[in-house]
Amino acid sequence: MVEREYIIKNGVKKLRRFKDYTIDELRQRLLDHFATLDRQHGRKPRVLASEAVYQDEAKEKRRLWNNYRSIISRQDRKDTLKWQDEMRNKTLNNMI
């Protein structure tokens, strides 16, 4: 599971941003995430996390970042829906 990473700057906990990562760090985080998955919808991924799609480093870093953020966004959405469902069930149970 990919989770958000934080850094401490001037005694303040801040979320790590795009510029705080290197290509190798992003690639490694994606490799670790995909290693935990058995399969993706029954087919192999077209591009492995270890492969480079773009020759330009800036474009490749942006691609890896978008993949990383997409995974986190999907997890956040699932967590939000689960929380909403739990709150709805608590409210309904208290009304009955």
Side-chain angles (χ1 to χ4, degrees):
M1 178 183 219
V2 175
E3 294 184 10
R4 290 188 164 101
E5 287 186 4
Y6 296 91
I7 56 175
I8 297 176
K9 275 188 177 177
N10 300 329
V12 178
K13 182 179 173 183
K14 293 192 174 199
L15 189 62
R16 280 185 80 181
R17 297 289 179 189
F18 175 71
K19 64 182 180 178
D20 298 330
Y21 286 95
T22 63
I23 290 177
D24 294 330
E25 287 176 327
L26 288 170
R27 187 169 282 134
Q28 186 59 45
R29 292 194 53 78
L30 289 172
L31 281 171
D32 293 343
H33 172 71
F34 291 130
T36 61
L37 299 177
D38 292 335
R39 62 188 183 126
Q40 292 183 345
H41 307 294
R43 62 180 187 247
K44 294 181 181 176
R46 290 179 291 179
V47 178
L48 300 176
S50 59
E51 297 178 31
V53 174
Y54 295 108
Q55 297 297 323
D56 184 21
E57 284 190 16
K59 288 182 179 180
E60 180 65 13
K61 184 177 177 183
R62 179 55 66 182
R63 180 186 76 86
L64 293 170
W65 175 255
N66 288 341
N67 289 345
Y68 173 69
R69 291 298 302 158
S70 176
I71 292 167
I72 290 177
S73 177
R74 286 192 301 267
Q75 289 175 354
D76 285 350
R77 178 74 176 141
K78 288 177 187 177
D79 291 344
T80 301
L81 290 174
K82 184 177 178 182
W83 175 81
Q84 287 176 343
D85 193 39
E86 288 173 0
M87 294 304 291
R88 188 177 305 110
N89 289 340
K90 283 183 182 178
T91 303
L92 291 174
N93 288 339
N94 287 339
M95 292 174 77
I96 295 176

